[in-house]
Structures are given as structure tokens and as C-alpha cells.
Amino acid sequence: MGPFFSLSGAGKWLGLVAAIWVQAICGNNYTFANYSDALKSLMSLTQLQLNNLSVAKDVGKAFGLVAGFASDCLPTSVLLIIGSVEGLIGYGAQWLVVSRRIHPLTYWQMCVFLCMGGNSTTWMNTAVLVTCMRNFPKNRGPVSGILKGYVGLSTAMFTDICTALFSSDPSTFLFILAVVPAIVCLTATFFLHEIPTPTSNPRELRQETLYFHVFNGVAIILAVYLLAFDITGNHGRVLSLAFAVGLLVLLATPLSVPLYSFISKPLSDSDIERPMKVSLLADQPKTTTTTTTTGVELQYLERKRPSIGEDHTIVEMIRTFDFWVLFVSFLCGVGTGMCVMNNMGQMGIALGYLDVSIFISLTSIWGFFGRIASGLISEYYIWKFGTPRPLWNAASQVLMAIGYIAMALALPGSLYIGSILVGICYGVRLTITVPVASELFGLKYYGLLYNILILNLPLGSFLFSGLLAGYLYDAQATAVDGGGNSCVGAQCYCLVFVIMALTCVVGLGLDVLLAVRTRNVYVRIHESKRAIAVSATDCSSAKY
């Protein structure tokens, strides 16, 4: 039993490394600003038409419901293969157009291929998140933070590699988006699987915590490495090649964890024979009765809705008030964040910046810090004080509103400040909402639940990017020769930023409300985690 346990443990960690690599290429959907200006000029589009193309990209996430249903009946490898093929077709068609290898497609055809590219990431994300949340049920916050953190860095990695090696050429950028994710996903199919593990014991839990610290450390080094490349200006050919090699080395470094897990000594029999039996949520108190339960009463008990914190079916979930509070608050944060990321190219040009790649990278890198920090901090405060995780979403709404106000003022450096704050808060929202959903509604139908929540991405993109930003930009823009339009000045997006800041205030209220309503759930999780810590201490003391 010992060697088998060690082997299965190493396989679980190897799967997490594969998941990290997949997430490191899943940020392709956030890179639209890198090539949007090329599409706008090539197809002679207005800003509203361009923004609707970005909406089509995000609408692809609405079809993630299919991936959610499929996650309950298809293995992880099949989900990854579907995502890789769809991304290859979607981004491949865009590459053919931008590189002028084919004549520009019609507007509706471009919408279809952008939609395919956007939908490809839902298959990848579903495969990764569902598998890893089930493989590490006791560490949902850290797992979510690590995986979502690498998604945050993904955009910066794509942008910096293209800038360093190919001078930010839009067609080359799209070629990378088409080919690299397909290769990574096909590789991950060999390693990423759901791996049944024995009941957690104190030593395994301590070991998991240590390994997660290693993953977080490597990710932070990677983020600082990317940030240093961005802020040091232009680089020569040799330094750029060295940067690319260093990036690959850092991405390969997490392999040290499963390698160490494989060669390290298996757990002793005494540890294996003393499993932890504390569940994530403490058992609900059971009431007893001395009367005989009738058939009618049994039917009533069977129909009784589960409590928050227990497994819900999708129908049961959407009938709860807490789900809609979570859904709308998520919309307020990620919807406005999507607007900034989709329009960053035009926002930078409107404020007089010729190259906006630095802002795209800053949003991505600081989004990583928001993701990784929120996963760790929220987990610590649950363990220490039982702090409801939604409170961290509330804090992010405050910072995001400040970021929008800073960009609305259009002072020198305000776009730097705004892109950093929006990146941090967007990362916090995506990371915190993942474990919150599983903690409130369970893991049984998590694949579908996750994809229902990310319907907010296309919905928010349509409301804030397609309608709000598109109409208000065009109202200020002037026509240019050959078709399309252009707007220069702070007035282009000022009202957009103000409205999005007010939206964040609404989200703040909803997040505080959800934190109050779910306080008891996090108290039970807190008690469970403290019980695990006490049991681990007892086991350590028993050895001496």
C-alpha cells in the first residue's frame, strides 16, 4: 500500500503541473487588444463593430455549458482535445486573415471564428478546474489561486514572447495563439486525470501545504521575471532570446514537486493507518425523533432542499437567493474588467500611447498577484478566524472602483495605475469565486456550475464592452478615410469609466450581503480546519 500511495501522490502532483501548463496558455482569450487594431484597420470597422467582435469572442464562453455537461461523462483528456482543436481552428482562421494569406472574411464569419477561439478555453478551464478541485478537496483556495494565477500570467507571457522575438507582429501573435495551446493541451492529456487518493492524514496535509508553497514561490518568481522584462524597456536580440529560454526554464521548474514526491520515502504504515476523518464541513447536527416516520414524511424529506454548503443540483442552486447574489456581484467585477481588457488598445491610443503592450502586460501580471494572493490570504483567514471568503471580493470592488476613477481623470500615469488596480481586482474575483461556488453549492456538479457562473464573461462583455463602451466611443469619434473611426482624448472613455465605477459600488454591496448570509458556512469550515490542525498536532506528539 505504501509504494502505491507514493506513486498515486506523485501522479496527482504531476497532473497539477500539467494543469498549470494548460492554464499558462488559457489567457489567449484576454489578448484581443494585441491584434484588435490590425483587425479594425484591415476590416474598416467602427469601434462598435470592433467591440462586437470582442463580444463574439466572449460569447464563446456561453457555450461553456456544453463543456460543463460533458465534464460529468467524458474523461479529462477528451475535454482537452476538444478545446485544443477548437482553438486551433478559431485562432488559425484569424491568423490567415490578419497575415493576408486569405481575403478578409465577412463580418459574421469572423464572429464565428472568434467565438470558437473563446469557447476553446472553456473546455480547457473546465478540464483543469474540475479535475484539480476534486484531486485537492482540502486545499481549494490555494489550488484555485495557483491555477487562476497562471491564467493571469498567460497574457503577459504571450505578449512578452511576441514582443521579444517577433516585434509584436499581430499575425505572428495569432499564429502562436493557434499552435502553442494545441501542443500543450495534447501533452497534458497524458498526465492530467482524476486520481482517487486515500483519506487525508495529517502528514499528507502538511506535505500538501509545503508543496503549494513551492508552487506559489515559483509562480511569484515567474511574475517578477515578466515584470522586470516589461519595465526595462527595449532589449536586443540576444537578451530577448535569453528571456525566452529563462521563461521556459521557469515553466518547467514545477516538475521538481512530482519528482521529489516520487523519489521521497512513502508514508509509514503508522501514518497510513491513522487517516483523518474530518470532512471539509462539519457534519450537520442530526435530529432524532421517537415517532415512526410515515411514507408522506419520507417523501417530504427526500424533496427537502439541501442547505448552503451541501451538494446542490443545478436546479436547486439557481433557486437559491445566494446564487443570484453571487452571480450578479461576479458580473459587476468581471464584466467591467472584460471591458478594460477588450478596449485597452483603443484606450491607450485615445490617451496618446503608440504602444499599449505594456498596459496589457501590467494588467496580466498584476492580475496574477491578485489571484495568487487572494487564494492564499482567503484560505489563511478562514483557517484563523473563519472569515467569509466573499469579503475579499468586496474589497476588490473598492480597489477596482478606484482604478476606474483614476482612468476617468486621465492624469499623467493614470492608465498605469488603472491597469494595475483593475488587473489585481479582476484576478481576485476570478480566484475567490471559484472556491466560493464549490463551498456553497458542492463539488458534485461543479463542472456545470462553473460554466454557469462564467456566463458573466460574455454577458459582461456585451453590456459593458459591446454596448456601453462601443456606443459612447463612437459618439465621440470622427470618421477616417477608408472607413472606420477614431477618437483621441480623455473624453473618449471618461463616462464609461464613471459608470463602471458605480457598478463596482453595487457589486460591493452584494458581496457584503453574501458574506453576511454565508457566515455560518465559513464558521463550519473554520472549525473543520482547526480540527484537522489539532489532529495533526496530536499525531506528531504521539511519535515522541
Side-chain angles (χ1 to χ4, degrees):
M1 183 174 179
F4 172 78
F5 183 84
S6 178
L7 182 60
S8 67
K12 181 173 70 172
W13 292 109
L14 184 59
L16 181 59
V17 173
I20 285 173
W21 291 343
V22 173
Q23 293 289 263
I25 51 85
C26 275
N28 51 8
N29 203 43
Y30 299 117
T31 60
F32 184 71
N34 281 306
Y35 58 91
S36 61
D37 202 52
L39 283 177
K40 185 176 182 179
S41 60
L42 184 65
M43 300 178 67
S44 300
L45 303 175
T46 65
Q47 187 63 33
L48 180 60
Q49 290 172 321
L50 180 67
N51 283 3
N52 284 333
L53 275 183
S54 73
V55 171
K57 162 184 69 70
D58 297 323
V59 164
K61 287 181 166 54
F63 295 101
L65 291 173
V66 179
F69 280 115
S71 67
D72 289 331
C73 56
L74 294 178
T76 303
S77 58
V78 175
L79 301 182
L80 290 172
I81 291 172
I82 294 173
S84 64
V85 172
E86 198 172 15
L88 182 64
I89 296 172
Y91 287 104
Q94 296 174 64
W95 167 68
L96 291 173
V97 170
V98 173
S99 63
R100 300 176 186 260
R101 283 173 169 74
I102 62 174
H103 291 292
L105 300 174
T106 61
Y107 188 79
W108 74 267
Q109 289 173 327
M110 287 299 293
C111 285
V112 170
F113 287 113
L114 279 156
C115 183
M116 289 184 67
N119 182 247
S120 67
T121 60
T122 66
W123 292 90
M124 302 175 195
N125 283 328
T126 300
V128 163
L129 285 172
V130 171
T131 303
C132 291
M133 294 290 273
R134 290 173 177 169
N135 284 350
F136 300 94
K138 301 289 185 181
N139 284 284
R140 304 185 200 190
V143 167
S144 174
I146 291 169
L147 295 178
K148 287 300 181 181
Y150 274 91
V151 174
L153 289 178
S154 176
T155 304
M157 284 188 275
F158 279 126
T159 302
D160 289 350
I161 284 290
C162 192
T163 300
L165 302 182
F166 308 107
S167 302
S168 301
D169 177 57
S171 64
T172 304
F173 188 81
L174 280 165
F175 181 79
I176 293 173
L177 294 185
V179 174
V180 172
I183 295 173
V184 171
C185 284
L186 291 177
T187 303
T189 58
F190 296 101
F191 307 107
L192 182 59
H193 309 284
E194 286 189 29
I195 299 178
T197 55
T199 305
S200 297
N201 59 70
R203 179 174 174 179
E204 183 189 3
L205 292 173
R206 290 196 303 271
Q207 190 178 57
E208 279 197 6
T209 300
L210 176 62
Y211 288 170
F212 282 126
H213 288 331
V214 174
F215 282 118
N216 285 326
V218 172
I220 291 170
I221 293 171
L222 177 58
V224 173
Y225 182 73
L226 292 168
L227 185 61
F229 179 81
D230 286 333
I231 64 178
T232 50
N234 296 325
H235 308 81
R237 182 71 177 175
V238 175
L239 283 178
S240 296
L241 286 173
F243 162 77
V245 172
L247 182 61
L248 292 177
V249 171
L250 286 173
L251 287 172
T253 302
L255 281 171
S256 60
V257 171
L259 179 61
Y260 176 81
S261 177
F262 178 73
I263 64 177
S264 62
K265 294 180 180 180
L267 299 178
S268 65
D269 292 339
S270 61
D271 285 335
I272 294 174
E273 291 171 359
R274 299 183 66 176
M276 291 294 300
K277 295 187 179 298
V278 182
S279 61
L280 180 66
L281 291 177
D283 292 336
Q284 300 291 329
K286 297 179 175 64
T287 58
T288 58
T289 178
T290 58
T291 60
T292 303
T293 305
T294 66
V296 174
E297 289 171 333
L298 284 173
Q299 291 176 6
Y300 169 78
L301 291 173
E302 290 173 355
R303 293 198 306 267
K304 187 178 179 180
R305 295 182 187 178
S307 300
I308 293 297
E310 300 175 346
D311 282 327
H312 285 61
T313 66
I314 299 305
V315 173
E316 288 168 342
M317 179 190 69
I318 63 177
R319 292 173 65 185
T320 65
F321 178 71
D322 297 297
F323 168 76
W324 291 107
V325 174
L326 178 64
F327 187 89
V328 178
S329 72
F330 193 46
L331 173 63
C332 293
V334 299
T336 57
M338 286 295 295
C339 177
V340 171
M341 286 182 280
N342 287 339
N343 290 272
M344 185 60 79
Q346 285 65 48
M347 288 175 180
I349 293 171
L351 294 179
Y353 295 95
L354 297 179
D355 185 7
V356 298
S357 62
I358 180 64
F359 303 112
I360 298 169
S361 290
L362 284 175
T363 302
S364 174
I365 292 170
W366 286 97
F368 158 79
F369 286 119
R371 295 167 198 241
I372 209 80
S374 61
L376 290 173
I377 294 173
S378 66
E379 197 74 19
Y380 171 79
Y381 274 90
I382 288 175
W383 178 84
K384 191 75 174 178
F385 305 109
T387 305
R389 220 186 288 264
L391 280 180
W392 301 103
N393 277 343
S396 74
Q397 296 280 27
V398 176
L399 285 179
M400 190 172 261
I402 294 173
Y404 293 142
I405 294 300
M407 289 191 282
L409 294 174
L411 299 173
S414 63
L415 196 56
Y416 287 93
I417 297 172
S419 60
I420 290 173
L421 289 179
V422 171
I424 291 172
C425 299
Y426 187 85
V428 170
R429 288 227 60 110
L430 284 179
T431 301
I432 293 295
T433 304
V434 168
V436 166
S438 68
E439 286 159 352
L440 299 187
F441 305 110
L443 284 172
K444 187 174 183 180
Y445 302 98
Y446 185 72
L448 185 54
L449 163 58
Y450 170 76
N451 282 284
I452 290 175
L453 281 174
I454 65 170
L455 287 174
N456 277 299
L457 297 183
L459 179 59
S461 180
F462 171 72
L463 292 176
F464 295 103
S465 184
L467 293 182
L468 180 67
Y471 276 116
L472 293 181
Y473 179 97
D474 284 345
Q476 300 288 339
T478 56
V480 298
D481 295 337
N485 60 16
S486 179
C487 181
V488 177
Q491 76 281 359
C492 300
Y493 285 99
C494 180
L495 185 55
V496 175
F497 291 135
V498 171
I499 293 174
M500 292 197 299
L502 294 174
T503 302
C504 287
V505 174
V506 174
L508 167 64
L510 292 172
D511 286 323
V512 171
L513 174 62
L514 186 63
V516 172
R517 288 179 57 86
T518 60
R519 170 67 178 165
N520 290 336
V521 173
Y522 288 96
V523 168
R524 296 200 302 272
I525 295 176
H526 164 72
E527 292 171 349
S528 174
K529 288 179 178 292
R530 298 293 289 185
I532 290 173
V534 170
S535 180
T537 303
D538 292 342
C539 287
S540 298
S541 301
K543 296 178 181 179
Y544 297 99

